[in-house]
Amino acid sequence: MRPRSIAVVGTSRKPGSIGREVLTRLVEGGFRGPLYPINPAVDVIGSLRAYPTVTACPGPVDLAVIAVPRDKVLAVLDDCAAAKVGGLVVITSGFKEVGPAGAALEQQLVERVRRAGMRMVGPNCMGVLNSDPAINLNATFAPGRPPSGPIGFISQSGALGMAVLDFAQSRDLGIGMFVSTGNKADVSGNDLLEYWEQDPSIRLILMYVESFGNPLKFRELAERIGREKPIVVVKAGRTAAGARAAASHTGALAGEDALCDALFHQCGVIRAQTVEELFDIALAFAHQPLPGGNRVGIVTNSGGPGIMLADACEMLGLAVPEFSPETATALRELLPEEASVGNPVDMIASATEESFQRVVGLVAADPQVDAVIVVFLPPVLTDPERVAVRLGDLADRLASGRTPKPILGCVMGARRAAGSLAELQKHRVPSYAFPESAAKALSAMVRYQAWRKRPRGSVPRFPSGRLQAEQVIEGVRQAGREWLSEKEVGSILRAYGIPMVKSVSAGARGAVADAAHGVGYPIVIKISSPAIIHKARVGGVIVDIRTDEELRLKLDDLEKRLAAQGFEPGKYGFVVQPMLPGGREVIMGLSRTPKMGPLVMFGLGGIFVETVKDIVFRLAPITDREAMEMITGIRAYPILKGLPGEAGVAVQTLQEMLLRLSQMAVEVPEIAELDLNPVLAFPESDRCAAVDARIRVGSGGARVPVAPSNATGDGPPPGKMDIPPRV
Ligand code: COA
């Protein structure tokens, strides 16, 4: 990103071709070093001396930008290696993105690059940019030229990258470095994160991501780097997820989007839902200090938008508090009688630039307020630009004060507002067209700040049940099965100290009555068969049976019902459990993905799991804090906490169960899917237990390899994979 000299290989004589455009951008951008156009056919291109090859250049070449047709790239790479080039940006497309032949060629690129000790951005990318005036590197073919600033931007889409640079320029958003990563064959997003971690000029990292090459490495890096430099991500491909065939609820619900949410949440990454939101958030982070808390003071010259903003703030978890009595009194003295001096302050349409400045100043100084949002409808009577000048002045003073508080603007009415927007931009006050955008940007800052301040918690260790679990799994494998029987499930849960309600198996109908007496009425009976995973769906669960006679009648019914569905008596057995009246039904689960490893799920349980989808995922291992956040994070948490007049359930016990499950997920990779559904939760901790559970074993042991740090791209890492030892 800081080359001293550049060769543009494939600089065409044709103006407007890609290679030629890259050269033009470099020249126009004022690159501070020798530029060598490479073209075998001519000596001069655009008044620069051209050379037939990189090795023919008269001086050393740090960076080669390659825009030759696909079949010529390998030969160019060899030439670059011979010329001891350090870095390559391969713009040419037609590699992994077009299919297996392209992927094979891409692999050859990677091998040559690594053999020569070079690094490569791309292929199939739009280039790189470093706007540091000491470098002036614009090795892209994008038209926009953003101002320099503290942002590092990684874009997996080249086309989006172009739009981004253009937009950044129009909003005066300072982009320090931009990298279009393309196919990420060598340099990945993770590499860039590590690079920017070390670079003091980059203070905020924005990413447009379509896929993660190594999400676990991303988690580790983002968690560390994000504490110093906020990372804002927009992730494309939200909806194509989750359609994998999975037999457990947990597996079925673990769509890619839910996993990304878990990943981002756990490492403090700010997720923007759209590219527009990414910019809205970036403006606030880049130009304003972080707020100390979530309390917003709202100042407006129009009631409606002020109320809209207050609503949006509260919905996003921000508070719109009462002002302190001193502020309220001062506002009352300052403003006309018709004005409203609560929060939001509505100064009404007659507000002048003078009153804007004084009122915003008063609100910002109030100890009850952590941030100010000014909603400004260009007034008819006052010059909007003059208002913006005063607000800008004030923002400058606030920014240099002892305890800077963020100030955000919402300027509605674009046509009349153009001048005032430019003025606010000059003073680094982020301005939004609508109140909700301002609220979202501020709430992202508040959430980030809260994450940074929050202690991580710790991962407790319980006695390991791994040996016992492995023995059970070995037996299941030898029997050629995937799903565990009730007994086997019980054994694994016991090994990990996860409470399961007493369950007595009765192979045939004749043994059910004895089992029922052993357990004691009232009881629940469930059918048991490796062919039936979801018993309730076939009507195979009967609750609250109180007598022998009732048992006989219910079993007759059950057999008839199952026979109608093709399950003949003798082809299934029974499990008898005591009936636990009351209790709240929750679900806990475990699933795994090839790239992100094990996941733990918690949610509202029972038969509505997949319809209501009130669930939370986290990547294992989870900390004690994360386990508690999972429980308190579901919408139904108020029900678990206890409705009025009711005791809440023992959440600490649920927390411990989740932590034990998380340990099991890490220690026993053979478990592919697990559902504890429902877990019945009671106020008494010793009554909380899973009443139904299923476990499926997979190929097992496929731990996610952690690639060496210089090879985090999508391609296979060189050399030996670093597979962490079993815990
Ligand atoms: N060394 C140096 N220059 C070479 C060369 C070599 N080995 N081989 C060919 N060239 C020159 C050509 O002579 C030509 O110059 P000329 O026009 O003066 O003769 C120049 O390189 C370009 O070659 P050309 O055949 O005209 O290719 P092109 O410009 O039409 O296309 C790419 C080249 C790289 C742009 C094209 O292959 C491509 O990949 N396009 C898609 C790029 C893309 O979308 N990337 C992702 C963005 S997100």
Side-chain angles (χ1 to χ4, degrees), residues 11 14 96 155 168 179 185 237 294 299 347 371 382 406 437 456 464 515 589 606 627 634 638:
T11 309
K14 302 183 291 277
K96 196 170 79 183
S155 179
V179 177
N294 73 340
V299 180
M347 299 191 298
T382 321
S437 312
R456 271 204 72 203
S464 172
I634 64 167

Side-chain angles (χ1 to χ4, degrees), residues 408-422:
L408 277 62
C410 165
V411 183
M412 301 179 81
R415 216 160 46 83
R416 290 205 65 225
S420 46
L421 273 177

Side-chain angles (χ1 to χ4, degrees), residues 347-359:
M347 299 191 298
I348 67 173
S350 57
T352 61
E353 67 258 32
E354 175 77 23
S355 44
F356 258 107
Q357 188 176 23
R358 291 182 65 185
V359 168

Side-chain angles (χ1 to χ4, degrees), residues 508-514 516-517 521 523-525 542-561 572 574 576:
R509 176 167 177 171
V512 176
D514 275 354
H517 295 154
Y521 288 115
I523 58 156
V524 175
I525 53 171
I542 304 172
V543 299
D544 204 13
I545 301 173
R546 289 166 178 269
T547 61
D548 283 352
E549 179 57 9
E550 199 182 335
L551 177 63
R552 193 179 58 75
L553 291 173
K554 292 267 167 77
L555 282 173
D556 287 347
D557 264 7
L558 177 64
E559 282 181 347
K560 268 192 229 141
R561 209 167 37 241
Y572 50 86
F574 300 88
V576 179

